[in-house]
Amino acid sequence: MKRVRGEMGLSNVRLMIPFCRRVEEGERVLQAMAGYGLVRGVDGLEIYVMCEIPNNVIQVDAFAQLFDGFSIGSNDLTQLTLGVDRDSAIVAESFDERDPGMLKMLKLAVDGAKRNRRHSGICGQAPSDHPEIAKYLVGLGIDSISLTPDTVLRTMRALAEIEAGRA
């Protein structure tokens, strides 16, 4: 990444730390990266963390001190919040990103990022599978939503309806 940003000139590349379970783990990751010359803030380097573990949401303020942004991984966050494996034939029917507890987790994550002036985005399957979740996230003020290619137009139309209603 240092070569990509420095030698190749792609200084707009942000780094994303996956599955960071604890604040202390985040601190150690940042220290290790610094040992390789990747220091948050130096030469505009932004480092984001995946928000895919309930602890990331519960301690959003502490994680925000370490990272420049959050990318909500709705697949893992749903599995860990609801205690289900979406790929298991035994409990897969319980996997639902629209569960009220999951909607609360999404709200807490986006609100926490905003409160700490950090970027918030979502990269999970939820907004692609359920346009109502994309609408919900836009209503919360999320900064970015990733979608699967086959759902981009449908979701953009649904979100345009929201924007038209606000005008």
Side-chain angles (χ1 to χ4, degrees):
M1 289 286 84
K2 181 149 175 75
R3 182 174 158 252
V4 166
R5 290 181 45 82
E7 295 173 32
M8 297 176 70
L10 300 173
S11 59
N12 63 334
V13 172
R14 293 177 182 96
L15 302 183
M16 179 89 63
I17 307 304
F19 222 79
C20 186
R21 292 170 282 273
R22 302 178 67 225
V23 173
E24 296 81 9
E25 184 177 30
E27 292 168 344
R28 288 193 311 272
V29 167
L30 294 174
Q31 289 170 0
M33 290 173 61
Y36 290 100
L38 293 166
V39 180
R40 179 178 167 223
V42 174
D43 296 325
L45 176 61
E46 291 185 20
I47 303 173
Y48 288 14
V49 66
M50 290 293 300
C51 184
E52 55 194 345
I53 300 169
N55 198 40
N56 300 137
V57 177
I58 294 165
Q59 294 198 75
V60 68
D61 296 315
F63 280 101
Q65 300 307 305
L66 301 178
F67 299 103
D68 299 295
F70 297 89
S71 182
I72 301 167
S74 66
N75 298 345
D76 286 332
L77 187 58
T78 301
Q79 289 186 120
L80 294 169
T81 298
L82 298 179
V84 300
D85 177 356
R86 69 184 181 146
D87 297 322
S88 167
I90 298 170
V91 294
E93 82 263 355
S94 295
F95 182 91
D96 188 351
E97 300 98 330
R98 298 165 298 180
D99 181 87
M102 249 322 283
L103 295 177
K104 179 71 172 182
M105 292 295 271
L106 294 171
K107 178 175 177 24
L108 291 170
V110 173
D111 287 351
K114 287 171 57 174
R115 180 175 58 252
N116 287 282
R117 296 184 183 95
R118 297 292 185 252
H119 177 91
S120 65
I122 189 163
C123 62
Q125 194 68 28
S128 294
D129 288 349
H130 308 290
E132 65 270 28
I133 290 184
K135 290 178 182 181
Y136 177 70
L137 291 165
V138 167
L140 294 176
I142 199 164
D143 296 307
S144 64
I145 297 175
S146 296
L147 299 165
T148 57
D150 61 318
T151 65
V152 170
L153 292 177
R154 178 192 76 201
T155 305
M156 287 178 63
R157 284 187 200 113
L159 296 177
E161 292 173 13
I162 294 173
E163 291 299 320
R166 289 186 186 163

